[in-house]
C-alpha cells in the first residue's frame, strides 16, 4: 500500500475506531467487494446520525461518503457531521467524494437532490454527478 493510499485508509479507520457503534445494514461495497456498514456518529456522547465511509481505490486516492444521515432533521446535526468529516479530511490531506442523492425519509418534504447538492457545495464540494472536495489548506 503506498503512502497516499494509507492516508485515506487511516482517515476511514479513525472514524470507525472513534465511533464504534455499527448499523447492521450494508450501504455499498468497496473495490475489494467488502460490504460497507455505517457507524453511529455522536456529538457530546449522544448519537446524532450515521455515516458510512470507504476508500474508493488505490488509483483514485479518494474517500467516498457512501451514506450520511442525521436521526433528527432541521437541528444542524448533518452540518455537525459533515463539518467534522471535512475537518479531518483537511488534517489528513485527503479528498472526499459523495453523490448528492436525497433519500426520502418521510420527514423532510422540502429537501431534494438539488438542495442536497447545494448543501454539499457549502462545504466546498464541486461537480455535477459526483461531488468532490479537495483538502483545504
Amino acid at each position: 500500500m503506498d503512502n497516499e493510499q494509507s492516508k485515506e485508509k487511516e482517515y476511514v479507520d479513525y472514524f470507525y475506531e472513534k465511533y464504534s457503534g455499527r448499523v447492521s445494514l450494508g450501504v455499498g461495497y468497496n473495490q475489494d467487494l467488502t460490504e460497507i456498514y455505517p457507524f453511529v456518529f455522536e456529538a457530546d456522547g449522544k448519537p446524532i446520525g450515521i455515516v458510512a465511509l470507504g476508500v474508493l481505490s488505490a488509483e483514485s486516492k479518494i474517500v467516498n461518503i457512501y451514506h450520511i444521515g442525521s436521526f433528527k432533521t432541521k437541528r444542524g446535526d448533518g452540518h455537525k457531521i459533515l463539518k467534522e468529516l471535512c475537518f479531518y479530511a483537511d488534517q489528513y490531506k485527503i479528498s472526499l467524494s459523495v453523490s448528492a442523492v436525497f433519500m426520502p425519509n418521510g420527514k423532510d418534504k422540502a429537501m431534494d437532490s438539488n438542495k442536497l447538492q447545494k448543501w454539499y457545495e457549502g462545504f466546498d464540494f464541486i461537480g455535477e454527478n459526483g461531488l468532490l472536495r479537495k483538502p483545504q489548506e
Side-chain angles (χ1 to χ4, degrees), residues 16 19-27 35-41 49-52 67 71:
Y16 277 90
Y19 301 111
S20 59
R22 296 286 184 278
V23 178
S24 58
L25 173 70
V27 296
E35 197 161 11
I36 305 288
Y37 294 97
F39 58 87
V40 177
F41 194 98
I50 60 174
V51 176
H67 183 82
F71 293 138

Side-chain angles (χ1 to χ4, degrees), residues 2 15-16 25 51 106 108 120 122 125 128:
D2 69 35
F15 281 103
Y16 277 90
L25 173 70
V51 176
D108 191 354
Y120 279 111
F125 283 82
E128 300 224 359

Side-chain angles (χ1 to χ4, degrees), residues 44-92:
D44 301 321
K46 296 183 180 170
I48 63 169
I50 60 174
V51 176
L53 303 171
V55 178
L56 282 181
S57 72
E59 296 81 37
S60 66
K61 297 181 171 84
I62 296 171
V63 170
N64 189 59
I65 300 171
Y66 286 88
H67 183 82
I68 181 172
S70 57
F71 293 138
K72 295 188 179 180
T73 62
K74 307 285 188 199
R75 295 183 358 172
D77 291 342
H79 180 89
K80 287 178 192 172
I81 293 168
L82 192 53
K83 184 177 178 183
E84 183 168 329
L85 294 177
C86 291
F87 174 81
Y88 282 100
D90 294 344
Q91 300 302 304
Y92 282 85

